[in-house]
Amino acid sequence: MNPQNIAYDSCRCFIQDHSGLIDEEIIQLTLGWVRSRNLSSLCSADVLIARAYSCERTNRFSRQIAAFFKKNAAFSDERICDEQAEISFFKAETVCRITNRRLDHYDKYPHRLDDEVATVVEKSRNIIRDILGDIGPFLSELKDNIRLTSGATATLSRRQSLPHLKVNIRSASVTSECRPFFESLMYQFGAKKVRTKSIYFNRVETVPKNYKTARTIACEPEGNLLFQLAFDKYAKQKLRYYGINLSCQERNQKMAREGSISNNYATVDLSQASDTIAFNAVALLLPSDWFQYVKLCRTSYGKGFGQTFKYEKFSSMGNGSTFAIETLIFFAVSLAISKNRKETCVYGDDIILKKEHYPLLLKVMKHLGFSINKDKTFSDGPFRESCGTDWFLGRDVTPFYLRSKTHGKPELCHIVNGLARIAFPDSRLEKYLLSLVNDNKLPLVPFSEDSMIGVWIDTHTAYKLKVIQTKHSISYIKAYVAKSPVYNCVTWQTYFLWHLDASRRVRLSQSYDDIEIYAMIGTPTHRSRYISDSSVCITRSKVPLLSHKYRQKRVSWIPPAQATPVHLYRWSDQIVHNCRRLE
């Protein structure tokens, strides 16, 4: 089915279902947008309507209208999105150039700087110094912090960049500044056959962001990426002592909820935060020894949009240390202003602090070259937004976003599962979803954590319809699962390059960074191919990053730890009544 038609049809049903619940003027206005296919107004419904009406129901309604289209790749024109991304990229470079000159000026003439801003900057430097501590322990533990990810690099595409493929390479790209450290590390861990290839730039690419623009990322050299990710891991560990857990967004979400109730907290979102981290801002705030380390690991030049350029920013998305650096800076500035850890929370560029401190935060951020995203920043009123959740007077009003550009059956299952949560009983939207299930013959599956395996129903109904079958005490279902990638063999020597501490980390059948490791010494097992070598490591990706293709087959099913969502009980009854063919 046409993904654009699905968005418009489901949106029309959703609007019509709210007739009588929402002001009739708003209903007719939004239906007019759908009839005329006014994409710009539909995507801005959360701003045009939500902020004009301080009502929970209208707020939830308008945000869901925008969610049908705002991040929907089906409405994107790749050429236009790339052009907008290029404009935004070089606009951010201009901002960083201006920031670098401004910070240079105030470094020469510190007496000209506003006293309030100067105090916050000095306190921020001290906080970052306290968080990171001395660099000696980090360098002594460097081998334990180095890791690999599945992201593309300057010389390797996404398909070639799974961790077990990266360690298979015979040569690695690295900048001349970082090359001595990389070669020393390879020699230390016995990977003498890995040749280094000097490279002075990273590769700039675009990835989807929303329907009208893409975002830029920089694919770093493999050698540099190791040391960038080492800093990332160490900084995250240190931040946890200050209550900042970058592996969990729950604290931000709870504080955003509390702010929507008490109106005491402001939720702040920055515009192009990663792309506007100016070089001199990092030099100003980080201790000199730490700055020298991250500076040696960065790439000074980029190649993209048909040209090569020198960066004014310190690093962009794609650099393994960017997320940790921006969190360090924003947390230090926020804490220097609020002076209370319990009243300050930061996750990347999502900042939460007492709303009386918001004006000063705005002032300091402007000095450091950052700008506030006014559409996503809330310092007053009943609404707050942070880390993917929306709150109105303590109630979750987060919409369900349609994102996929192509609608195969797994993607349709995801849409049906998501929209079923917001559909009223016996509503137009629910009937439309049932027609999608019928027309596309989508499989029914018991509730699980994966929304793409099939259309969820509750476990009792699944047994009743014989969706779940048991054989030898194991439950099986027929569902969509991603195709398994091919096994890849890695020599023991390059296995050290990946883990770098095998004596501590290697465990048979232990999951590590989404990769299941099977270590074998001299003898084959039923799960691996034998290769004549004293030691062989077989890796198998648990998450099929090589391909996003799905196929339907029988797979084992384990009841999830969490309870079946309440809406599935009603939804299951509707499916049993309307989808007899699936019994």
Side-chain angles (χ1 to χ4, degrees):
M1 294 186 69
N2 188 320
Q4 292 190 7
N5 290 340
I6 290 178
Y8 282 118
D9 292 343
S10 55
C11 181
R12 182 185 296 106
C13 292
F14 178 80
I15 295 171
Q16 290 171 344
D17 289 339
H18 283 76
S19 180
L21 300 173
I22 304 295
D23 188 86
E24 188 61 27
E25 183 181 351
I26 298 176
I27 296 293
Q28 294 304 321
L29 177 66
T30 51
L31 282 176
W33 290 343
V34 173
R35 283 194 296 268
S36 61
R37 306 233 163 177
N38 188 340
L39 187 61
S40 177
S41 296
L42 289 167
C43 291
S44 304
D46 54 342
V47 177
L48 297 176
I49 299 175
R51 295 201 176 189
Y53 296 83
S54 296
C55 165
E56 178 195 343
R57 185 175 291 166
T58 306
N59 194 288
R60 188 193 299 269
F61 170 82
S62 59
R63 291 185 181 280
Q64 183 57 57
I65 296 294
F68 282 109
F69 307 95
K70 199 171 190 177
K71 299 182 181 181
N72 197 331
F75 295 93
S76 299
D77 184 314
E78 189 173 343
R79 181 183 61 82
I80 295 175
C81 287
D82 287 347
E83 289 176 356
Q84 289 297 322
E86 181 178 358
I87 292 170
S88 298
F89 179 84
F90 287 107
K91 182 179 178 181
E93 282 293 288
T94 302
V95 170
C96 289
R97 184 182 302 112
I98 294 170
T99 303
N100 287 332
R101 291 177 180 175
R102 179 171 61 251
L103 295 179
D104 270 339
H105 172 79
Y106 284 116
D107 184 55
K108 294 177 182 178
Y109 308 102
H111 62 279
R112 296 181 179 178
L113 183 60
D114 181 270
D115 291 339
E116 205 172 26
V117 173
T119 302
V120 172
V121 169
E122 185 59 33
K123 286 182 179 179
S124 302
R125 295 178 63 184
N126 293 333
I127 290 170
I128 293 176
R129 185 182 296 109
D130 291 341
I131 293 173
L132 293 177
D134 185 65
I135 199 172
F138 166 71
L139 295 177
S140 64
E141 299 172 5
L142 187 62
K143 64 177 184 179
D144 296 325
N145 293 316
I146 287 177
R147 60 190 174 89
L148 291 176
T149 64
S150 58
T153 67
T155 55
L156 296 176
S157 66
R158 175 87 176 184
R159 288 182 62 86
Q160 300 170 309
S161 294
L162 285 172
H164 61 280
L165 297 179
K166 284 180 178 176
V167 299
N168 236 341
I169 58 177
R170 295 299 180 185
S171 64
S173 60
V174 62
T175 59
S176 57
E177 295 86 353
C178 192
R179 182 173 181 173
F181 304 103
F182 180 75
E183 290 179 340
S184 175
L185 185 69
M186 296 305 98
Y187 184 84
Q188 181 180 358
F189 289 100
K192 303 174 185 178
K193 295 182 180 180
V194 177
R195 299 188 301 271
T196 55
K197 176 184 176 182
S198 290
I199 189 172
Y200 69 95
F201 59 86
N202 58 28
R203 179 166 51 89
V204 178
E205 288 191 346
T206 58
V207 294
K209 182 179 180 181
N210 55 43
Y211 84 99
K212 60 182 179 180
T213 184
R215 63 160 51 94
T216 54
I217 59 169
C219 303
E220 296 283 319
E222 300 93 61
N224 293 55
L225 198 57
L226 290 174
F227 297 95
Q228 294 166 4
L229 290 170
F231 174 82
D232 174 80
K233 183 178 179 181
Y234 187 82
K236 286 177 178 177
Q237 291 172 347
K238 290 295 185 179
L239 281 166
R240 292 194 71 166
Y241 290 110
Y242 284 73
I244 304 299
N245 184 359
L246 294 182
S247 61
C248 178
Q249 301 176 337
E250 188 175 351
R251 184 166 178 242
N252 271 65
Q253 294 168 352
K254 285 183 176 179
M255 288 187 69
R257 178 182 181 275
E258 184 179 341
S260 71
I261 298 172
S262 63
N263 200 26
N264 288 334
Y265 293 103
T267 56
V268 183
D269 185 82
L270 300 178
S271 179
Q272 288 189 286
S274 302
D275 283 333
T276 51
I277 305 176
F279 183 89
N280 284 350
V282 180
L284 173 67
L285 295 172
L286 262 65
S288 59
D289 50 356
W290 284 102
F291 174 72
Q292 289 302 319
Y293 174 85
V294 292
K295 177 186 173 184
L296 288 171
C297 298
R298 75 186 281 265
T299 309
S300 301
Y301 290 83
K303 181 177 285 188
F305 306 114
Q307 56 184 299
T308 302
F309 42 82
K310 185 176 182 180
Y311 282 116
E312 294 288 343
K313 64 170 65 71
F314 184 82
S315 62
S316 59
M317 292 302 294
N319 183 308
S321 60
T322 296
F323 188 65
I325 289 174
E326 71 176 1
T327 303
L328 270 171
I329 292 175
F330 300 148
F331 175 66
V333 171
S334 302
L335 184 58
I337 294 171
S338 68
K339 304 175 185 178
N340 190 334
R341 293 187 203 174
K342 294 183 179 180
E343 297 177 350
T344 306
C345 193
V346 176
Y347 189 95
D349 65 341
D350 280 324
I351 304 169
I352 302 179
L353 77 171
K354 285 281 190 177
K355 70 175 187 178
E356 56 262 30
H357 301 311
Y358 173 66
L360 180 56
L361 177 71
L362 188 64
K363 191 176 181 180
V364 176
M365 287 299 179
K366 185 177 181 180
H367 171 70
L368 295 174
F370 301 104
S371 58
I372 303 298
N373 185 342
K374 295 182 180 179
D375 288 341
K376 294 186 177 182
T377 296
F378 300 88
S379 59
D380 195 21
F383 182 83
R384 295 293 185 275
E385 171 187 355
S386 184
C387 290
T389 56
D390 300 345
W391 302 94
F392 192 98
L393 291 176
R395 295 185 180 90
D396 188 353
V397 294
T398 307
F400 173 76
Y401 286 93
L402 273 67
R403 302 174 185 267
S404 180
K405 189 169 187 176
T406 57
H407 286 351
K409 289 189 177 182
E411 289 80 10
L412 280 176
C413 292
H414 174 71
I415 290 172
V416 170
N417 288 329
L419 293 180
R421 177 173 59 87
I422 63 171
F424 296 141
D426 298 320
S427 62
R428 291 180 178 85
L429 180 57
E430 190 173 82
K431 292 176 182 177
Y432 177 71
L433 296 178
L434 287 169
S435 71
L436 289 180
V437 175
N438 276 318
D439 296 344
N440 295 279
K441 298 181 180 180
L442 302 181
L444 304 182
V445 297
F447 175 70
S448 69
E449 295 178 356
D450 190 347
S451 62
M452 299 184 77
I453 65 173
V455 176
W456 290 334
I457 57 176
D458 68 82
T459 306
H460 174 75
T461 306
Y463 276 112
K464 182 180 177 181
L465 297 178
K466 297 182 180 180
V467 170
I468 303 175
Q469 298 183 4
T470 304
K471 186 177 181 181
H472 304 301
S473 302
I474 300 176
S475 298
Y476 289 93
I477 61 173
K478 196 169 185 180
Y480 285 107
V481 294
K483 290 184 178 180
S484 299
V486 180
Y487 283 78
N488 292 275
C489 300
V490 182
T491 63
W492 190 261
Q493 194 175 44
T494 51
Y495 170 72
F496 271 97
L497 174 60
W498 182 16
H499 284 278
L500 304 178
D501 192 3
S503 61
R504 180 171 63 84
R505 298 186 185 183
V506 176
R507 298 290 185 273
L508 291 176
S509 300
Q510 177 176 338
S511 175
Y512 179 79
D513 278 352
D514 291 333
I515 297 294
E516 202 168 319
I517 309 303
Y518 303 108
M520 175 181 69
I521 302 179
T523 57
T525 71
H526 70 285
R527 306 178 89 171
S528 59
R529 295 198 303 258
Y530 175 70
I531 295 181
S532 57
D533 190 81
S534 59
S535 303
V536 171
C537 172
I538 305 298
T539 67
R540 180 172 67 84
S541 174
K542 292 177 69 179
V543 179
L545 297 175
L546 284 176
S547 173
H548 294 287
K549 295 182 179 179
Y550 286 75
R551 63 180 176 182
Q552 192 176 12
K553 67 175 186 177
R554 299 199 70 83
V555 292
S556 59
W557 176 77
I558 300 175
Q562 61 190 101
T564 303
V566 175
H567 76 273
L568 290 183
Y569 292 105
R570 171 185 55 78
W571 176 245
S572 298
D573 293 338
Q574 291 293 320
I575 287 182
V576 173
H577 179 71
N578 292 280
C579 305
R580 289 292 182 184
R581 62 173 183 79
L582 293 168
E583 293 189 25

